[in-house]
């Protein structure tokens, strides 16, 4: 289109109700000496002329129908004024009457989905760097085995982490929903109220499961950090979060070469936590001081719930990819111990790739929006979006492969990544990226349901004694096989990108 879609009539243009009343009150007879006005035999011609720009740029009649409904046209008015049974029939006639015009892609300055690659790089770093904190806290966990087969306190940490991922995913979805409405103050209020609640629930879960005091304190600190980091990321303060992570990043590098005393490692972790909490509180306070817009209804709660379930499913799939062999041996202690594997490099590669994954999400939306302007038919638009989806997904998988091979080459004391492990990693990456894209375009419950089904299958099969690598192959493979066609079909509709 040559301009943004207007959802209200132009100034001076009567609304549908006023137009209806005007036609009803027209005199039915005119004096013989008064000339007959030049009236089109079909009032649709006048409407087509008034909406010529919109109709010429439309790829599908539903775009015109959406505009008519947003402008207040009802089926009764469509029948009374234009002689069409409903607004959809009226939109189809307008689509057929006005010739298509495709002015080509919009200038880069008009692209609403243009993403800063450097910002995505910083976000990728703040996704990956918190993992270095586990190097500083590794000695806090006893080697005593629980019935879950994990070191004492590690089960509590894993449960708290899963709960934090689920809760913060839902919280971020709700806050982003407020931001999309221009309600930064409401988004800050949601974060200020929700982040402490999520941290308390996660920390309480870890405390109930028990473990050494040092491990429980580490779990409580991680829960608080994840809540504060969510607030900073949603508010777009990635650089502040990167600065807060500086102590633990430097400390983790040092601890690889020098064994630091316990009190030094604790001080480094506390400095990182205090910095993150302080910066998050400062930014939330600044946002809460801004005047609000007075909106009373925000994002739908059922979609917020679907985002939370999606976070739980993604967290479970990722955690099983890392802890699957350990849990399998714990459930079958009589069997052989798990052989050394390249699980660590695989997870590091997946974490480091999140920045590019986010940039590719923006890139897909940018190219799909451009396809709305250059496609001559709905079928052509579907082909273009499917091609864009394939290019973005294949590019992401190639990047993950390169990261995994590079991390494996630098990782000491681990065997090379095998074909099966690399396949599992790529299937997991494909499922996660496609699911994130569908979530970003509001395909919520179907995405969450498929990811939950894959995670549930892997958990039940692992409890039944299945091989972790085979479980990931089948679970993540099935999820990817179902999510990718779903994305092609659903995201190939023009209305999904309006």
């Amino acid at each position: 289109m040559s301009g943004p879609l207007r959802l209200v009539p132009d100034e001076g243009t009567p609304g549908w109700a006023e137009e209806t009343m005007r036609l009803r009150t027209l005199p039915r007879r005119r004096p013989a000496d008064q000339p007959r006005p030049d009236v089109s035999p079909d009032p649709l011609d006048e409407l087509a002329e008034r909406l010529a720009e919109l109709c010429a740029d439309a790829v599908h009649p539903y775009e015109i129908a959406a505009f008519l409904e947003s402008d207040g046209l009802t089926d009764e008015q469509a029948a009374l004024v234009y002689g069409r049974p409903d607004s959809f029939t009226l939109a189809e006639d307008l689509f057929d009457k006005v010739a298509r015009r495709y002015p080509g892609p919009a200038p880069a300055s008009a692209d609403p989905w243009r993403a800063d690659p450097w910002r995505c790089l910083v976000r990728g770093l703040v996704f990956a760097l918190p993992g270095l904190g586990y190097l500083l806290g590794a000695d806090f966990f006893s080697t005593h085995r629980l019935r879950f087969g994990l070191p004492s306190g590690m089960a509590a940490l894993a449960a708290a982490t899963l709960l934090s991922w689920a809760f913060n995913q839902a919280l971020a979805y709700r806050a982003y929903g407020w931001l999309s409405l221009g309600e930064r103050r409401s988004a800050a209020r949601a974060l200020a109220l929700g982040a402490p609640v999520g941290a308390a629930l996660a920390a309480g879960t870890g405390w109930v499961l028990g473990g050494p005091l040092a491990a429980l304190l580490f779990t409580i600190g991680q829960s608080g950090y994840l809540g504060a980091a969510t607030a900073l990321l949603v508010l777009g303060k990635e650089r502040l979060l990167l600065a807060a992570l500086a102590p633990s990043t430097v400390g983790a590098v040092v601890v690889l070469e020098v064994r630091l005393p316990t009190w030094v490692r604790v001080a480094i972790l506390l400095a990182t936590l205090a910095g993150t909490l302080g910066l998050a509180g400062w930014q939330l306070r600044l946002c809460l001081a801004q005047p609000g817009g007075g909106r009373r209804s925000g994002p739908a709660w059922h979609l917020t719930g679907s985002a939370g379930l999606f976070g739980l499913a993604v967290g479970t799939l990722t955690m099983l990819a890392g802890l699957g062999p350990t849990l399998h041996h714990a459930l079958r202690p009589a069997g052989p111990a798990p052989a050394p594997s390249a699980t660590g490099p695989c997870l590091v590669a997946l974490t480091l790739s999140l920045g590019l994954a986010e940039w590719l999400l923006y890139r897909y939306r940018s190219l799909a929006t451009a396809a709305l302007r250059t496609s001559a038919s709905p079928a052509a638009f579907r082909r273009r979006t499917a091609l864009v989806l394939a290019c973005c997904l294949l590019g992401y998988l190639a990047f993950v492969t390169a990261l995994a091979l590079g991390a494996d080459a630098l990782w000491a004391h681990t065997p090379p990544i095998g074909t099966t492990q690399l396949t599992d990693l790529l299937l997991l990456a494909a499922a996660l990226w496609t699911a994130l894209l569908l979530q970003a375009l509001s395909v919520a419950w179907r995405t969450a349901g498929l990811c939950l089904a894959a995670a549930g299958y892997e958990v039940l099969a692992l409890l039944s004694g299945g091989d972790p690598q085979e479980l990931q192959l089948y679970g993540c493979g099935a999820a990817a096989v179902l999510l990718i066609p779903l994305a092609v079909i659903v995201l190939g509709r023009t209305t999904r990108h309006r």
Side-chain angles (χ1 to χ4, degrees):
M1 295 188 300
S2 58
L5 181 63
R6 293 186 294 271
L7 298 182
V8 295
D10 294 336
E11 292 185 6
T13 302
W16 301 111
E18 291 80 358
E19 181 74 6
T20 303
M21 293 301 299
R22 183 182 70 81
L23 292 176
R24 284 179 172 176
T25 56
L26 285 176
R28 298 182 181 275
R29 296 179 181 273
R30 292 180 176 269
D33 58 347
Q34 184 173 353
R36 180 178 297 275
D38 185 13
V39 178
S40 170
D42 189 350
L44 186 68
D45 295 335
E46 179 184 353
L47 182 62
E49 181 178 356
R50 181 155 64 92
L51 301 181
E53 180 181 342
L54 170 70
C55 298
D57 291 343
V59 179
H60 196 280
Y62 285 173
E63 298 178 51
I64 305 174
F67 174 84
L68 296 176
E69 291 186 349
S70 68
D71 204 25
L73 179 70
T74 63
D75 291 342
E76 179 184 3
Q77 292 164 348
L80 178 63
V81 180
Y82 301 104
R84 270 64 178 179
D86 50 49
S87 59
F88 287 96
T89 304
L90 179 61
E92 291 174 354
D93 291 344
L94 286 171
F95 185 81
D96 294 335
K97 181 177 287 290
V98 180
R100 305 275 71 71
R101 181 187 70 238
Y102 303 97
S109 59
D111 185 3
W113 299 111
R114 184 176 55 178
D116 182 3
W118 292 108
R119 182 185 178 190
C120 292
L121 175 62
V122 172
R123 290 176 69 89
L125 288 175
V126 299
F127 291 145
L129 289 179
L132 297 177
Y134 294 107
L135 296 176
L136 296 169
D139 294 341
F140 299 160
F141 297 89
S142 171
T143 57
H144 175 67
R145 294 282 178 176
L146 296 177
R147 60 175 180 168
F148 299 106
L150 296 173
S152 182
M154 190 64 74
L157 180 64
T161 302
L162 283 179
L163 183 57
S164 292
W165 281 349
F167 190 93
N168 289 325
Q169 181 74 20
L171 179 62
Y173 178 88
R174 188 156 189 83
Y176 276 124
W178 281 116
L179 289 177
S180 68
L181 298 173
E183 287 289 318
R184 192 171 182 84
R185 186 171 185 270
S186 298
R189 185 188 299 114
L191 292 169
L193 295 176
V197 173
L201 290 175
T205 301
W207 191 272
V208 169
L209 291 178
L213 180 60
L216 293 178
L217 293 177
F218 184 90
T219 300
I220 294 172
Q222 176 188 265
S223 302
Y225 167 81
L226 290 175
T230 299
L232 288 172
L233 287 172
V234 171
L235 296 177
K237 303 301 179 181
E238 302 86 5
R239 300 181 192 277
L240 293 179
L241 182 56
L242 184 62
L245 287 169
S248 61
T249 302
V250 175
V253 173
V254 173
V255 82
L256 290 175
E257 303 295 335
V258 180
R259 181 171 180 81
L260 296 176
T262 301
W263 69 269
V264 175
R265 290 184 280 116
V266 171
I268 292 173
L269 291 173
L270 289 178
T272 299
L273 176 61
T276 308
L277 292 175
L279 291 173
W282 172 46
Q283 290 299 314
L284 289 173
R285 184 177 179 181
L286 291 178
C287 293
L288 290 174
Q290 299 177 0
R295 292 184 182 271
R296 296 185 179 181
S297 60
W301 282 104
H302 72 281
L303 294 178
T304 304
S306 71
L309 293 176
F310 171 72
L312 177 63
V314 168
T316 302
L317 289 173
T318 306
M319 190 168 290
L320 288 177
L323 297 179
T326 302
L327 292 173
H328 176 72
H329 176 66
L331 295 171
R332 295 291 184 272
S341 65
T343 301
C346 289
L347 292 182
V348 169
L350 186 63
T351 305
L352 289 174
S353 70
L354 293 178
L356 179 68
E358 189 169 278
W359 183 83
L360 286 173
L361 293 179
Y362 280 100
R363 189 62 182 157
Y364 172 85
R365 300 201 70 175
S366 175
L367 293 174
T369 303
L372 282 173
R373 304 174 57 85
T374 57
S375 301
S377 66
F381 177 76
R382 285 194 297 270
R383 289 193 297 270
R384 287 177 181 268
T385 52
L387 179 61
V388 171
L389 176 65
C391 291
C392 289
L393 181 57
L394 290 176
Y396 176 62
L397 295 181
F399 185 71
V400 171
T401 302
L403 283 178
L405 296 178
D408 186 54
L410 298 175
W411 202 284
H413 310 299
T414 57
I417 296 179
T419 303
T420 303
Q421 284 184 315
L422 185 59
T423 303
D424 289 345
L425 173 64
L426 295 181
L427 288 174
L428 176 60
L432 294 185
W433 188 85
T434 310
L436 287 172
L437 177 63
L438 289 168
Q439 278 280 322
L441 285 161
S442 301
V443 187
W445 282 105
R446 282 173 287 182
T447 304
L450 289 174
C451 292
L452 277 174
Y457 164 78
E458 289 194 21
V459 170
L460 293 177
L462 184 64
L463 294 176
S464 301
D467 181 26
Q469 290 188 354
E470 291 184 1
L471 299 182
Q472 189 174 350
L473 181 65
Y474 296 142
C476 294
V481 166
L482 294 175
L483 285 168
I484 293 174
L486 176 64
V488 171
I489 295 171
V490 175
L491 304 185
R493 301 169 185 166
T494 59
T495 51
R496 182 63 62 177
H497 302 272
R498 285 294 188 183

